[in-house]
Short mmCIF file of all heavy atoms in Angstrom, two decimals:
data_model
loop_
_atom_site.label_atom_id
_atom_site.label_comp_id
_atom_site.label_asym_id
_atom_site.label_seq_id
_atom_site.Cartn_x
_atom_site.Cartn_y
_atom_site.Cartn_z
N GLU W 1 -68.02 27.86 -174.06
CA GLU W 1 -69.22 27.14 -174.53
C GLU W 1 -69.65 26.07 -173.49
O GLU W 1 -70.86 25.82 -173.33
CB GLU W 1 -69.05 26.55 -175.87
CG GLU W 1 -68.87 27.70 -177.03
CD GLU W 1 -68.74 27.03 -178.37
OE1 GLU W 1 -69.27 26.04 -178.63
OE2 GLU W 1 -67.99 27.64 -179.21
N LYS W 2 -68.66 25.39 -172.91
CA LYS W 2 -68.97 24.31 -171.92
C LYS W 2 -69.69 24.95 -170.77
O LYS W 2 -70.70 24.47 -170.25
CB LYS W 2 -67.70 23.66 -171.43
CG LYS W 2 -68.02 22.68 -170.31
CD LYS W 2 -66.66 22.14 -169.69
CE LYS W 2 -66.22 23.07 -168.61
NZ LYS W 2 -65.12 22.50 -167.82
N TYR W 3 -69.17 26.09 -170.32
CA TYR W 3 -69.80 26.75 -169.11
C TYR W 3 -71.21 27.29 -169.47
O TYR W 3 -72.03 27.18 -168.58
CB TYR W 3 -68.91 27.85 -168.59
CG TYR W 3 -67.60 27.31 -168.08
CD1 TYR W 3 -66.35 27.48 -168.77
CD2 TYR W 3 -67.51 26.57 -166.92
CE1 TYR W 3 -65.16 27.06 -168.29
CE2 TYR W 3 -66.35 26.06 -166.43
CZ TYR W 3 -65.10 26.35 -167.15
OH TYR W 3 -63.94 25.78 -166.65
N LEU W 4 -71.37 27.75 -170.64
CA LEU W 4 -72.72 28.21 -171.04
C LEU W 4 -73.65 27.06 -171.14
O LEU W 4 -74.84 27.18 -170.64
CB LEU W 4 -72.66 28.86 -172.37
CG LEU W 4 -72.01 30.26 -172.49
CD1 LEU W 4 -71.94 30.72 -173.88
CD2 LEU W 4 -72.77 31.27 -171.63
N ALA W 5 -73.26 25.84 -171.50
CA ALA W 5 -74.05 24.71 -171.56
C ALA W 5 -74.48 24.25 -170.19
O ALA W 5 -75.60 23.86 -169.83
CB ALA W 5 -73.39 23.56 -172.33
N TRP W 6 -73.47 24.34 -169.27
CA TRP W 6 -73.73 23.95 -167.86
C TRP W 6 -74.73 24.90 -167.18
O TRP W 6 -75.59 24.54 -166.38
CB TRP W 6 -72.44 23.81 -167.03
CG TRP W 6 -71.67 22.60 -167.33
CD1 TRP W 6 -71.90 21.76 -168.39
CD2 TRP W 6 -70.71 22.02 -166.56
NE1 TRP W 6 -71.00 20.77 -168.30
CE2 TRP W 6 -70.22 20.86 -167.20
CE3 TRP W 6 -70.06 22.39 -165.35
CZ2 TRP W 6 -69.25 20.06 -166.64
CZ3 TRP W 6 -69.05 21.59 -164.86
CH2 TRP W 6 -68.68 20.49 -165.47
N GLU W 7 -74.58 26.25 -167.51
CA GLU W 7 -75.52 27.25 -167.03
C GLU W 7 -76.94 26.89 -167.36
O GLU W 7 -77.90 26.93 -166.61
CB GLU W 7 -75.22 28.63 -167.58
CG GLU W 7 -74.06 29.33 -166.86
CD GLU W 7 -73.94 30.75 -167.48
OE1 GLU W 7 -74.94 31.32 -167.90
OE2 GLU W 7 -72.75 31.23 -167.52
N GLU W 8 -77.11 26.52 -168.62
CA GLU W 8 -78.49 26.20 -169.14
C GLU W 8 -79.03 24.99 -168.53
O GLU W 8 -80.23 24.93 -168.09
CB GLU W 8 -78.44 26.03 -170.62
CG GLU W 8 -79.81 25.88 -171.25
CD GLU W 8 -79.75 25.85 -172.80
OE1 GLU W 8 -78.71 26.27 -173.44
OE2 GLU W 8 -80.86 25.48 -173.40
N LEU W 9 -78.14 23.96 -168.30
CA LEU W 9 -78.61 22.69 -167.68
C LEU W 9 -79.11 22.98 -166.22
O LEU W 9 -80.11 22.49 -165.84
CB LEU W 9 -77.49 21.65 -167.65
CG LEU W 9 -77.28 20.85 -168.90
CD1 LEU W 9 -76.01 20.03 -168.84
CD2 LEU W 9 -78.52 19.93 -169.14
N LEU W 10 -78.21 23.76 -165.51
CA LEU W 10 -78.54 24.05 -164.16
C LEU W 10 -79.81 24.90 -164.02
O LEU W 10 -80.69 24.60 -163.18
CB LEU W 10 -77.42 24.82 -163.38
CG LEU W 10 -76.26 24.00 -162.75
CD1 LEU W 10 -75.24 24.97 -162.17
CD2 LEU W 10 -76.83 23.15 -161.60
N SER W 11 -79.91 25.92 -164.80
CA SER W 11 -81.05 26.79 -164.87
C SER W 11 -82.34 26.01 -165.06
O SER W 11 -83.43 26.06 -164.34
CB SER W 11 -80.89 27.91 -165.80
OG SER W 11 -82.08 28.73 -165.93
N ASP W 12 -82.30 25.26 -166.19
CA ASP W 12 -83.52 24.47 -166.54
C ASP W 12 -83.89 23.45 -165.41
O ASP W 12 -85.09 23.26 -165.13
CB ASP W 12 -83.27 23.63 -167.84
CG ASP W 12 -83.19 24.51 -169.06
OD1 ASP W 12 -83.56 25.75 -168.91
OD2 ASP W 12 -82.77 24.09 -170.12
N ALA W 13 -82.86 22.83 -164.82
CA ALA W 13 -83.17 21.91 -163.77
C ALA W 13 -83.78 22.56 -162.48
O ALA W 13 -84.71 22.03 -161.85
CB ALA W 13 -81.87 21.18 -163.37
N MET W 14 -83.30 23.74 -162.20
CA MET W 14 -83.88 24.48 -161.09
C MET W 14 -85.31 24.92 -161.35
O MET W 14 -86.09 24.84 -160.45
CB MET W 14 -82.99 25.69 -160.74
CG MET W 14 -81.67 25.31 -160.01
SD MET W 14 -80.78 26.61 -159.27
CE MET W 14 -80.21 27.50 -160.76
N VAL W 15 -85.60 25.33 -162.58
CA VAL W 15 -86.95 25.75 -162.95
C VAL W 15 -87.85 24.52 -162.82
O VAL W 15 -89.01 24.58 -162.28
CB VAL W 15 -87.00 26.27 -164.38
CG1 VAL W 15 -88.47 26.43 -164.81
CG2 VAL W 15 -86.30 27.67 -164.42
N ALA W 16 -87.41 23.29 -163.23
CA ALA W 16 -88.15 22.11 -163.14
C ALA W 16 -88.41 21.72 -161.69
O ALA W 16 -89.35 21.03 -161.42
CB ALA W 16 -87.44 20.92 -163.82
N ARG W 17 -87.58 22.23 -160.79
CA ARG W 17 -87.73 21.97 -159.30
C ARG W 17 -88.47 23.06 -158.60
O ARG W 17 -88.46 23.14 -157.40
CB ARG W 17 -86.36 21.65 -158.69
CG ARG W 17 -85.78 20.29 -159.14
CD ARG W 17 -84.24 20.29 -158.90
NE ARG W 17 -83.69 19.03 -159.17
CZ ARG W 17 -83.47 18.50 -160.36
NH1 ARG W 17 -83.76 19.17 -161.46
NH2 ARG W 17 -82.89 17.23 -160.48
N GLY W 18 -89.12 23.96 -159.40
CA GLY W 18 -89.90 24.96 -158.82
C GLY W 18 -89.41 26.33 -158.59
O GLY W 18 -90.05 27.23 -158.14
N ALA W 19 -88.12 26.59 -159.04
CA ALA W 19 -87.54 27.96 -158.91
C ALA W 19 -88.03 28.86 -160.05
O ALA W 19 -88.46 28.44 -161.10
CB ALA W 19 -86.02 27.84 -158.96
N GLU W 20 -87.99 30.17 -159.80
CA GLU W 20 -88.46 31.17 -160.82
C GLU W 20 -87.37 31.15 -161.93
O GLU W 20 -86.20 31.14 -161.68
CB GLU W 20 -88.57 32.51 -160.18
CG GLU W 20 -89.67 32.60 -159.13
CD GLU W 20 -89.78 34.07 -158.60
OE1 GLU W 20 -89.20 34.94 -159.19
OE2 GLU W 20 -90.46 34.13 -157.61
N PRO W 21 -87.82 31.30 -163.19
CA PRO W 21 -86.88 31.19 -164.32
C PRO W 21 -85.81 32.17 -164.32
O PRO W 21 -84.60 31.93 -164.49
CB PRO W 21 -87.85 31.36 -165.54
CG PRO W 21 -89.16 30.86 -165.06
CD PRO W 21 -89.24 31.24 -163.64
N MET W 22 -86.16 33.49 -164.11
CA MET W 22 -85.12 34.54 -164.08
C MET W 22 -84.17 34.37 -162.97
O MET W 22 -82.93 34.53 -163.11
CB MET W 22 -85.75 35.95 -164.11
CG MET W 22 -84.72 37.05 -164.25
SD MET W 22 -85.46 38.71 -164.41
CE MET W 22 -86.28 38.59 -165.94
N VAL W 23 -84.64 34.09 -161.75
CA VAL W 23 -83.80 33.86 -160.69
C VAL W 23 -82.87 32.65 -160.89
O VAL W 23 -81.67 32.65 -160.60
CB VAL W 23 -84.65 33.64 -159.33
CG1 VAL W 23 -83.76 33.23 -158.15
CG2 VAL W 23 -85.39 34.91 -159.00
N SER W 24 -83.38 31.60 -161.50
CA SER W 24 -82.70 30.42 -161.85
C SER W 24 -81.44 30.75 -162.81
O SER W 24 -80.34 30.22 -162.60
CB SER W 24 -83.55 29.43 -162.45
OG SER W 24 -84.52 28.95 -161.43
N ARG W 25 -81.76 31.49 -163.74
CA ARG W 25 -80.74 31.85 -164.77
C ARG W 25 -79.66 32.64 -164.11
O ARG W 25 -78.45 32.35 -164.37
CB ARG W 25 -81.44 32.64 -165.87
CG ARG W 25 -82.19 31.79 -166.86
CD ARG W 25 -82.49 32.52 -168.14
NE ARG W 25 -83.40 33.67 -167.95
CZ ARG W 25 -84.67 33.59 -168.05
NH1 ARG W 25 -85.28 32.42 -168.21
NH2 ARG W 25 -85.45 34.67 -167.84
N MET W 26 -79.93 33.62 -163.25
CA MET W 26 -78.98 34.38 -162.55
C MET W 26 -78.14 33.50 -161.58
O MET W 26 -76.90 33.56 -161.54
CB MET W 26 -79.55 35.56 -161.79
CG MET W 26 -78.60 36.42 -160.95
SD MET W 26 -77.28 37.06 -161.97
CE MET W 26 -78.16 38.47 -162.70
N ALA W 27 -78.82 32.62 -160.85
CA ALA W 27 -78.11 31.79 -159.87
C ALA W 27 -77.22 30.84 -160.64
O ALA W 27 -76.04 30.62 -160.16
CB ALA W 27 -79.15 30.98 -159.11
N ALA W 28 -77.66 30.23 -161.75
CA ALA W 28 -76.80 29.32 -162.50
C ALA W 28 -75.62 30.07 -163.05
O ALA W 28 -74.44 29.55 -163.05
CB ALA W 28 -77.61 28.68 -163.58
N ALA W 29 -75.86 31.25 -163.55
CA ALA W 29 -74.76 31.99 -164.21
C ALA W 29 -73.63 32.34 -163.10
O ALA W 29 -72.41 32.22 -163.35
CB ALA W 29 -75.27 33.32 -164.78
N MET W 30 -74.04 32.70 -161.94
CA MET W 30 -73.19 33.13 -160.88
C MET W 30 -72.38 31.93 -160.36
O MET W 30 -71.21 31.89 -160.13
CB MET W 30 -73.84 33.82 -159.72
CG MET W 30 -74.44 35.17 -160.12
SD MET W 30 -75.46 35.94 -158.77
CE MET W 30 -74.12 36.46 -157.69
N ALA W 31 -73.11 30.80 -160.20
CA ALA W 31 -72.50 29.59 -159.67
C ALA W 31 -71.43 29.07 -160.65
O ALA W 31 -70.35 28.70 -160.26
CB ALA W 31 -73.52 28.51 -159.37
N VAL W 32 -71.77 29.00 -161.95
CA VAL W 32 -70.89 28.47 -162.96
C VAL W 32 -69.76 29.46 -163.21
O VAL W 32 -68.60 28.99 -163.45
CB VAL W 32 -71.62 28.24 -164.29
CG1 VAL W 32 -70.66 27.88 -165.37
CG2 VAL W 32 -72.67 27.11 -164.10
N ALA W 33 -69.93 30.78 -163.00
CA ALA W 33 -68.84 31.68 -163.12
C ALA W 33 -67.83 31.48 -162.00
O ALA W 33 -66.62 31.48 -162.26
CB ALA W 33 -69.37 33.14 -163.01
N GLY W 34 -68.26 31.13 -160.85
CA GLY W 34 -67.37 30.80 -159.76
C GLY W 34 -66.59 29.59 -160.10
O GLY W 34 -65.34 29.57 -159.77
N LEU W 35 -67.15 28.56 -160.70
CA LEU W 35 -66.49 27.34 -161.02
C LEU W 35 -65.42 27.68 -162.08
O LEU W 35 -64.27 27.27 -162.03
CB LEU W 35 -67.48 26.35 -161.66
CG LEU W 35 -66.80 25.07 -162.29
CD1 LEU W 35 -66.07 24.22 -161.22
CD2 LEU W 35 -67.90 24.23 -162.94
N ARG W 36 -65.82 28.48 -163.11
CA ARG W 36 -64.86 28.86 -164.16
C ARG W 36 -63.58 29.52 -163.61
O ARG W 36 -62.46 29.23 -163.98
CB ARG W 36 -65.56 29.77 -165.20
CG ARG W 36 -64.62 30.22 -166.32
CD ARG W 36 -65.41 31.06 -167.33
NE ARG W 36 -66.10 32.21 -166.69
CZ ARG W 36 -65.59 33.37 -166.39
NH1 ARG W 36 -64.24 33.51 -166.64
NH2 ARG W 36 -66.24 34.32 -165.83
N ILE W 37 -63.87 30.46 -162.67
CA ILE W 37 -62.72 31.17 -162.10
C ILE W 37 -61.85 30.22 -161.25
O ILE W 37 -60.59 30.24 -161.34
CB ILE W 37 -63.22 32.32 -161.23
CG1 ILE W 37 -63.84 33.38 -162.13
CG2 ILE W 37 -62.10 32.97 -160.36
CD1 ILE W 37 -64.72 34.43 -161.39
N ALA W 38 -62.49 29.39 -160.47
CA ALA W 38 -61.73 28.44 -159.66
C ALA W 38 -60.94 27.50 -160.50
O ALA W 38 -59.75 27.14 -160.19
CB ALA W 38 -62.72 27.63 -158.77
N VAL W 39 -61.48 27.00 -161.60
CA VAL W 39 -60.73 26.08 -162.47
C VAL W 39 -59.50 26.72 -163.11
O VAL W 39 -58.46 26.14 -163.20
CB VAL W 39 -61.72 25.52 -163.58
CG1 VAL W 39 -60.85 24.84 -164.66
CG2 VAL W 39 -62.71 24.58 -162.98
N ARG W 40 -59.70 27.97 -163.53
CA ARG W 40 -58.50 28.64 -164.13
C ARG W 40 -57.39 28.85 -163.06
O ARG W 40 -56.19 28.71 -163.44
CB ARG W 40 -58.98 29.99 -164.73
CG ARG W 40 -59.85 29.89 -165.96
CD ARG W 40 -59.83 31.16 -166.71
NE ARG W 40 -58.58 31.47 -167.31
CZ ARG W 40 -58.35 32.49 -168.09
NH1 ARG W 40 -59.35 33.41 -168.32
NH2 ARG W 40 -57.15 32.79 -168.68
N GLU W 41 -57.77 29.15 -161.85
CA GLU W 41 -56.73 29.33 -160.78
C GLU W 41 -56.08 27.98 -160.49
O GLU W 41 -54.92 27.85 -160.27
CB GLU W 41 -57.38 29.89 -159.57
CG GLU W 41 -57.81 31.31 -159.67
CD GLU W 41 -56.63 32.24 -159.90
OE1 GLU W 41 -55.58 32.09 -159.26
OE2 GLU W 41 -56.80 33.20 -160.65
N TRP W 42 -56.86 26.90 -160.51
CA TRP W 42 -56.42 25.52 -160.28
C TRP W 42 -55.41 25.08 -161.28
O TRP W 42 -54.30 24.56 -161.00
CB TRP W 42 -57.62 24.60 -160.18
CG TRP W 42 -57.27 23.16 -159.87
CD1 TRP W 42 -56.68 22.69 -158.72
CD2 TRP W 42 -57.39 22.07 -160.74
NE1 TRP W 42 -56.58 21.35 -158.74
CE2 TRP W 42 -56.96 20.95 -160.01
CE3 TRP W 42 -57.98 21.85 -161.96
CZ2 TRP W 42 -57.09 19.61 -160.55
CZ3 TRP W 42 -58.02 20.58 -162.53
CH2 TRP W 42 -57.55 19.51 -161.81
N ILE W 43 -55.80 25.36 -162.55
CA ILE W 43 -54.85 25.00 -163.68
C ILE W 43 -53.61 25.86 -163.58
O ILE W 43 -52.48 25.36 -163.78
CB ILE W 43 -55.56 25.17 -164.97
CG1 ILE W 43 -56.72 24.18 -165.19
CG2 ILE W 43 -54.57 25.10 -166.21
CD1 ILE W 43 -57.58 24.52 -166.34
#
């Protein structure tokens, strides 16, 4: 749920900065997925 919340924050912020909504959602999902995987490996 934390990662989903961060995806939404990132996506909304990118849209507010001029990015296309669908592209922003995909970019945020991929970027946050990388973080989630890295954090699990780190732990």
Side-chain angles (χ1 to χ4, degrees):
E1 293 180 33
K2 176 190 84 170
Y3 296 109
L4 289 174
W6 282 19
E7 278 184 32
E8 186 173 347
L9 278 172
L10 269 179
S11 176
D12 289 349
M14 286 192 290
V15 170
R17 288 159 173 79
E20 296 180 13
M22 185 173 293
V23 173
S24 296
R25 286 194 292 272
M26 177 59 78
M30 293 175 72
V32 173
L35 173 64
R36 177 177 56 80
I37 292 167
V39 167
R40 291 198 68 178
E41 291 296 320
W42 182 66
I43 294 170

